[in-house]
Amino acid sequence: MYHFTALVTCLAILFYLFTGIQVSKARAAFGIKVPATAGHPDFERVFRVQMNTLEWMPIFLPSLWLFAIYISDPFAAVLGLIWIAGRVLYLTGYSQAAAKRGTGFAIQALAATILWAGALGAIVWRLLHQ
Amino acid sequence: MYHFTALVTCLAILFYLFTGIQVSKARAAFGIKVPATAGHPDFERVFRVQMNTLEWMPIFLPSLWLFAIYISDPFAAVLGLIWIAGRVLYLTGYSQAAAKRGTGFAIQALAATILWAGALGAIVWRLLHQ
Amino acid sequence: MYHFTALVTCLAILFYLFTGIQVSKARAAFGIKVPATAGHPDFERVFRVQMNTLEWMPIFLPSLWLFAIYISDPFAAVLGLIWIAGRVLYLTGYSQAAAKRGTGFAIQALAATILWAGALGAIVWRLLHQ
């Protein structure tokens, strides 16, 4: 079983839900009524945080689980926690200014890339040595 | 095996595909040509139904499967069917008016939250009692 | 184990990441600054390629894996490669003109539909014969 990876998956979903709640609050704060998704730069940056997190979910979650299955449950979970930490930094930075989103983005991109590359390497190794 | 959860996964994908087909129809009906995703409120609401369903897929699907694996396949499937029913209500309501999207949204959010919280609780319990 | 399907999953993620990198390049080329996602038709088409690929990930990935588990790992992988090939055609076509996106879209939609329908059929068969 992959209890640590399952736990980190729940935490990643919780963070992602939080980015959506921030969008609802920003709608109220800046008077952007649904179905509009634009109209005020401060709202649009909060909206982009949610959208960018959504964009990375299909990269992060499958890579996390393939890494857990092919390499290690606890190592996958640690990299998953680093991904979430990078995402939190990205959220706090981007909410302030577009220029402050770089560090958090780089951390989460690195964590996701390690998960993806590790999984890919282990899968190829298994295919060659089975 | 998790036959019921697998079946509900296929049904959720079918519903989600349907929201995308509605967007294509709304493009034709309101003359919104690709790549534009705005230009008429009636189109934008149909587009937001698809987008919001997409936004919830990475919450719903992993929570559904973790619940199935850690708790119960048939219970997960029943909650999954409730999620789809809430989504259908959300689609029919939001397509008419933005104010009519609340009930369906609340139902699907509740179903997804139960799946998520149930999975999280079961994972933590296993980690503490393994 | 499902080594071939796992490998194709990594390749699909790689392609999807590439569509995101193309958006970054198009931002620079057409001067579309974050958080904006509109402003120049050539940028918007590249952005829509990424978004449309994102939209199909929750259809493709679960269908791919259910097909692999319920029917066949190598057959799922072959259909997954056809999906990626259709996506590449869609990217190159849509980047040139909106009218050139049809063939690639149809190929990937067909591959995803076969994965989905095959999985659904096999799941129902198992439920009836278990």
Side-chain angles (χ1 to χ4, degrees):
Chain A
M1 294 294 285
Y2 308 97
H3 298 321
F4 293 113
T5 300
L7 182 62
V8 168
T9 300
C10 286
L11 296 179
I13 291 171
L14 182 65
F15 170 77
Y16 170 59
L17 256 174
F18 178 74
T19 67
I21 293 166
Q22 295 300 98
V23 173
S24 298
K25 286 186 183 169
R27 280 194 183 281
F30 302 108
I32 311 290
K33 289 199 172 58
V34 290
T37 56
H40 191 295
D42 287 351
F43 168 77
E44 288 172 29
R45 291 203 316 280
V46 175
F47 180 67
R48 280 302 306 163
V49 169
Q50 181 200 15
M51 287 306 295
N52 190 275
T53 307
L54 170 61
E55 286 168 20
W56 279 77
M57 291 295 266
I59 298 168
F60 172 65
L61 286 179
S63 300
L64 176 77
W65 279 90
L66 290 175
F67 190 101
I69 293 164
Y70 278 91
I71 298 180
S72 152
D73 176 37
F75 282 179
V78 167
L79 286 162
L81 287 176
I82 294 170
W83 185 81
I84 295 172
R87 280 278 143 195
V88 171
L89 262 181
Y90 176 78
L91 166 78
T92 54
Y94 206 167
S95 300
Q96 290 170 31
K100 291 188 181 177
R101 74 189 196 285
T103 312
F105 188 85
I107 291 169
Q108 66 86 34
L110 186 67
T113 303
I114 295 171
L115 287 168
W116 177 84
L120 178 64
I123 292 161
V124 170
W125 196 89
R126 291 273 193 100
L127 276 168
L128 296 175
H129 293 81
Q130 69 186 350
Chain B
M1 293 296 284
Y2 307 97
H3 298 320
F4 292 113
T5 301
L7 182 62
V8 168
T9 300
C10 286
L11 296 179
I13 291 171
L14 182 64
F15 170 76
Y16 171 60
L17 256 175
F18 178 74
T19 67
I21 293 167
Q22 295 300 97
V23 173
S24 297
K25 285 186 184 167
R27 278 194 185 282
F30 302 107
I32 311 291
K33 288 201 174 56
V34 289
T37 57
H40 191 296
D42 287 351
F43 169 77
E44 287 171 30
R45 290 204 316 279
V46 175
F47 180 66
R48 280 301 305 163
V49 169
Q50 182 200 17
M51 286 306 295
N52 190 275
T53 307
L54 169 61
E55 286 168 19
W56 279 78
M57 291 295 265
I59 299 168
F60 172 66
L61 285 179
S63 300
L64 176 78
W65 279 90
L66 290 175
F67 191 101
I69 292 165
Y70 278 90
I71 298 181
S72 152
D73 176 37
F75 282 0
V78 167
L79 285 162
L81 287 176
I82 294 171
W83 185 82
I84 295 171
R87 279 279 142 197
V88 171
L89 261 182
Y90 176 78
L91 165 78
T92 53
Y94 207 168
S95 299
Q96 291 170 29
K100 291 190 181 177
R101 74 191 196 285
T103 311
F105 188 84
I107 291 169
Q108 67 87 32
L110 185 67
T113 303
I114 294 171
L115 287 167
W116 178 83
L120 178 64
I123 292 161
V124 171
W125 196 89
R126 290 272 193 101
L127 276 168
L128 296 176
H129 293 81
Q130 70 185 350
Chain C
M1 293 297 283
Y2 307 97
H3 297 322
F4 292 113
T5 301
L7 183 62
V8 168
T9 300
C10 286
L11 296 179
I13 291 171
L14 181 66
F15 170 76
Y16 170 60
L17 256 175
F18 177 75
T19 66
I21 293 166
Q22 294 300 99
V23 173
S24 299
K25 286 187 185 167
R27 279 194 184 282
F30 302 107
I32 311 291
K33 288 201 173 57
V34 289
T37 56
H40 191 296
D42 287 352
F43 169 77
E44 288 171 29
R45 291 203 317 280
V46 174
F47 180 67
R48 280 301 305 162
V49 169
Q50 182 200 16
M51 287 305 295
N52 190 275
T53 307
L54 170 61
E55 287 168 18
W56 279 78
M57 291 296 266
I59 299 168
F60 172 66
L61 285 180
S63 300
L64 177 76
W65 279 90
L66 289 175
F67 190 101
I69 293 165
Y70 278 90
I71 299 181
S72 151
D73 177 36
F75 281 0
V78 168
L79 285 162
L81 287 176
I82 293 171
W83 184 82
I84 296 171
R87 281 278 142 195
V88 171
L89 261 182
Y90 176 78
L91 165 78
T92 53
Y94 206 168
S95 301
Q96 291 170 29
K100 290 189 182 177
R101 74 190 197 283
T103 312
F105 188 84
I107 290 169
Q108 66 86 35
L110 185 68
T113 303
I114 294 171
L115 287 168
W116 178 85
L120 178 64
I123 292 161
V124 171
W125 196 90
R126 289 272 194 103
L127 277 168
L128 296 175
H129 294 80
Q130 69 186 350

